[in-house]
């Protein structure tokens, strides 16, 4: 048994953290001293880069070869050439190809990494850059863009070929295209959307923090509305405007997201997980999970294990 364990060590359930010192130029990373806050990377498959991982930077991925399964946070979906996703800081991700020819592929994933702080700081003095800030917030949960594969590929090559101000210009072109794109979907967890009532949004954020801090607790919309001095109907309207969901759907979604995390990171029984995240009825949990994820909890766990199969960016 010990010999088998040595040959097949346990898989890491938590994502591996990636740092600059783990990004060798031999694998395609640009030298830190040769770039600014924008770095380009192209890699094929197979590659030592293959793992379930995360990092501090934002990362734009464009798949240009093969098909397979994508894993972004608690989202699992299919990919094919043209698949374009922006991931935010510390959001785990992995792309697993399933149709790799013998000998592999030389170029599968075109990647751009960039940091948040320079953009946010620059937006304070260059108002035009503020257009990208909502995109950065959405990307914390992963964003898939549709219909932009060829444009993104052209602009990626422009970024890769340039340095200095010309690279920045190409990157801003790409960032502008992504910021103005209306054909996209969020991949993992929920995202606050309201911008019209900052005071009200702070109240909603406080409620969301309570929900996520103790998701097993029973929350009643009427009671929360009373705390804010609102009628239940006005609370419901504002909550939907702020989160994109009605209150009940939002609570269920938060609970399902937590369940996904537990399914991915532990071997606990599905029933135990259902009760921990606030569902008192296993059948209801299974039904809500299927509605949210398009698969059962057990299928989700089985497919989530594929994120270790090897392929990533």
């Amino acid at each position: 048994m010990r010999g088998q364990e040595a040959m097949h060590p346990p898989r890491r359930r938590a994502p591996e953290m990636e740092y600059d010192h783990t990004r060798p130029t031999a694998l395609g990373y640009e030298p830190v001293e040769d770039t600014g806050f924008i770095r380009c990377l192209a890699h094929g498959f197979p590659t030592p880069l293959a793992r379930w991982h995360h990092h501090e930077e934002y990362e734009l991925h464009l798949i240009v070869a093969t098909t397979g399964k994508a894993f972004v946070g608690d989202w699992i979906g299919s990919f094919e050439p043209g698949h374009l996703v922006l991931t935010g800081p510390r959001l785990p991700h992995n792309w697993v190809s399933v149709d790799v020819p013998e000998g592999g592929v030389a170029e599968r994933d075109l990647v751009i990494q960039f940091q948040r702080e320079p953009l946010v700081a620059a937006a304070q003095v260059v108002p035009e850059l503020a257009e990208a800030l909502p995109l950065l917030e959405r990307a914390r949960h992963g964003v898939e863009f549709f219909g932009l594969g060829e444009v993104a590929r052209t602009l990626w090559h422009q970024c890769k070929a340039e340095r200095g101000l010309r690279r920045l210009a190409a990157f801003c072109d790409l960032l502008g295209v992504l910021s103005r794109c209306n054909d996209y979907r969020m991949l993992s967890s929920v995202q606050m959307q309201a911008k019209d009532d900052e005071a009200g949004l702070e109240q909603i954020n406080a409620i969301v923090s309570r929900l996520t801090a103790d998701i097993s607790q029973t929350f009643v919309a009427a009671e929360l509305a009373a705390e804010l001095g609102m009628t239940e109907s006005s609370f419901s309207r504002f909550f939907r405007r702020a989160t994109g969901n009605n209150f009940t759907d939002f609570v269920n979604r938060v609970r399902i997201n937590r369940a996904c995390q537990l399914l991915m990171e532990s071997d606990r029984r599905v029933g135990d997980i259902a009760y921990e995240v606030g569902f008192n009825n296993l059948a209801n949990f299974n039904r809500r999970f299927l509605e949210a994820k398009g698969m059962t909890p057990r299928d989700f766990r089985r497919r989530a294990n594929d994120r270790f199969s090897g392929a990533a960016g």
Side-chain angles (χ1 to χ4, degrees), residues 220-248:
V220 180
E223 295 176 358
L224 294 173
E227 290 182 23
L228 300 181
M230 297 180 179
T231 64
E232 185 174 355
S233 59
S234 62
F235 171 80
S236 296
R237 287 193 299 271
F238 188 79
F239 193 92
R240 176 182 285 276
R241 192 164 69 250
T243 68
N245 298 265
N246 68 41
F247 180 74
T248 300

Side-chain angles (χ1 to χ4, degrees), residues 256-276:
I256 293 299
N257 287 333
R258 174 57 178 159
C260 288
Q261 181 181 355
L262 293 173
L263 287 165
M264 297 172 83
E265 297 182 355
S266 76
D267 292 318
R268 296 175 57 187
R269 295 187 305 173
V270 171
D272 292 340
I273 290 174
Y275 291 120
E276 177 169 328

